[in-house]
Protein backbone atom coordinates (compact mmCIF):
# COMPACT_ATOMS: atom_id res chain seq x y z
CA UNK A 1 0.00 0.00 0.00
CA UNK A 2 3.04 2.27 0.01
CA UNK A 3 2.17 3.12 -3.58
CA UNK A 4 -0.62 5.39 -2.36
CA UNK A 5 0.13 8.74 -0.70
CA UNK A 6 -1.04 9.16 2.90
CA UNK A 7 -3.77 11.59 1.89
CA UNK A 8 -5.67 8.96 -0.14
CA UNK A 9 -4.50 5.76 1.56
CA UNK A 10 -7.66 5.22 3.68
CA UNK A 11 -9.91 5.71 0.66
CA UNK A 12 -7.84 3.41 -1.52
CA UNK A 13 -7.78 0.73 1.18
CA UNK A 14 -11.56 0.96 1.49
CA UNK A 15 -12.01 0.57 -2.26
CA UNK A 16 -9.62 -2.39 -2.36
CA UNK A 17 -11.43 -4.04 0.57
CA UNK A 18 -14.77 -3.59 -1.22
CA UNK A 19 -13.43 -5.19 -4.39
CA UNK A 20 -12.06 -8.06 -2.31
CA UNK A 21 -15.50 -8.68 -0.84
CA UNK A 22 -17.12 -8.52 -4.27
CA UNK A 23 -14.59 -11.08 -5.50
CA UNK A 24 -15.30 -13.36 -2.54
CA UNK A 25 -19.04 -13.24 -3.20
CA UNK A 26 -18.58 -13.88 -6.92
CA UNK A 27 -16.23 -16.79 -6.23
CA UNK A 28 -18.92 -18.59 -4.23
CA UNK A 29 -21.22 -18.65 -7.25
CA UNK A 30 -18.58 -19.46 -9.86
CA UNK A 31 -16.81 -22.16 -7.88
CA UNK A 32 -20.12 -23.59 -6.66
CA UNK A 33 -21.20 -24.06 -10.27
CA UNK A 34 -17.92 -25.86 -11.02
CA UNK A 35 -18.08 -28.14 -7.99
CA UNK A 36 -18.21 -31.31 -10.08
CA UNK A 37 -15.58 -30.20 -12.61
CA UNK A 38 -12.51 -30.22 -10.40
CA UNK A 39 -9.93 -29.99 -13.19
CA UNK A 40 -11.56 -26.92 -14.72
CA UNK A 41 -11.86 -25.36 -11.27
CA UNK A 42 -8.15 -25.91 -10.56
CA UNK A 43 -7.21 -24.46 -13.95
CA UNK A 44 -9.28 -21.32 -13.32
CA UNK A 45 -7.82 -20.82 -9.83
CA UNK A 46 -4.28 -21.38 -11.14
CA UNK A 47 -4.79 -18.90 -13.96
CA UNK A 48 -6.14 -16.28 -11.55
CA UNK A 49 -3.17 -16.76 -9.25
CA UNK A 50 -0.75 -16.33 -12.15
CA UNK A 51 -2.53 -13.16 -13.30
CA UNK A 52 -2.36 -11.80 -9.76
CA UNK A 53 1.35 -12.59 -9.49
CA UNK A 54 2.02 -10.90 -12.82
CA UNK A 55 0.08 -7.79 -11.77
CA UNK A 56 2.24 -7.55 -8.65
CA UNK A 57 5.34 -7.37 -10.82
CA UNK A 58 3.90 -4.29 -12.57
CA UNK A 59 3.82 -2.24 -9.35
CA UNK A 60 6.67 0.23 -8.90
CA UNK A 61 9.33 -0.38 -6.23
CA UNK A 62 9.10 2.38 -3.62
CA UNK A 63 11.90 1.44 -1.24
CA UNK A 64 14.03 4.48 -0.44
CA UNK A 65 12.06 6.82 -2.70
CA UNK A 66 9.80 9.73 -1.88
CA UNK A 67 6.20 9.01 -2.70
CA UNK A 68 5.91 12.21 -4.70
CA UNK A 69 8.42 10.81 -7.22
CA UNK A 70 6.63 7.47 -7.69
CA UNK A 71 4.51 7.20 -10.82
CA UNK A 72 1.78 4.60 -11.01
Amino acid sequence: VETFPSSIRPTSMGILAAFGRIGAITAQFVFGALEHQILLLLCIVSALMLVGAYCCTLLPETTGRKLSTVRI
Side-chain angles (χ1 to χ4, degrees), residues 11-33:
T11 303
S12 60
M13 286 300 295
I15 292 170
L16 293 173
F19 275 108
R21 289 174 191 249
I22 291 169
I25 292 169
T26 305
Q28 298 299 316
F29 292 108
V30 172
F31 296 151

Side-chain angles (χ1 to χ4, degrees), residues 2-67:
E2 289 297 323
T3 304
F4 301 115
S6 298
S7 61
I8 64 166
R9 192 171 296 153
T11 303
S12 60
M13 286 300 295
I15 292 170
L16 293 173
F19 275 108
R21 289 174 191 249
I22 291 169
I25 292 169
T26 305
Q28 298 299 316
F29 292 108
V30 172
F31 296 151
L34 297 174
E35 183 178 12
H36 301 293
Q37 299 174 349
I38 301 297
L39 183 61
L40 180 60
L41 180 62
L42 290 175
C43 289
I44 290 173
V45 170
S46 299
L48 289 173
M49 287 177 25
L50 289 173
V51 168
Y54 176 72
C55 288
C56 288
T57 64
L58 299 177
L59 293 172
E61 180 59 50
T62 60
T63 304
R65 293 172 56 190
K66 290 185 179 183
L67 229 48

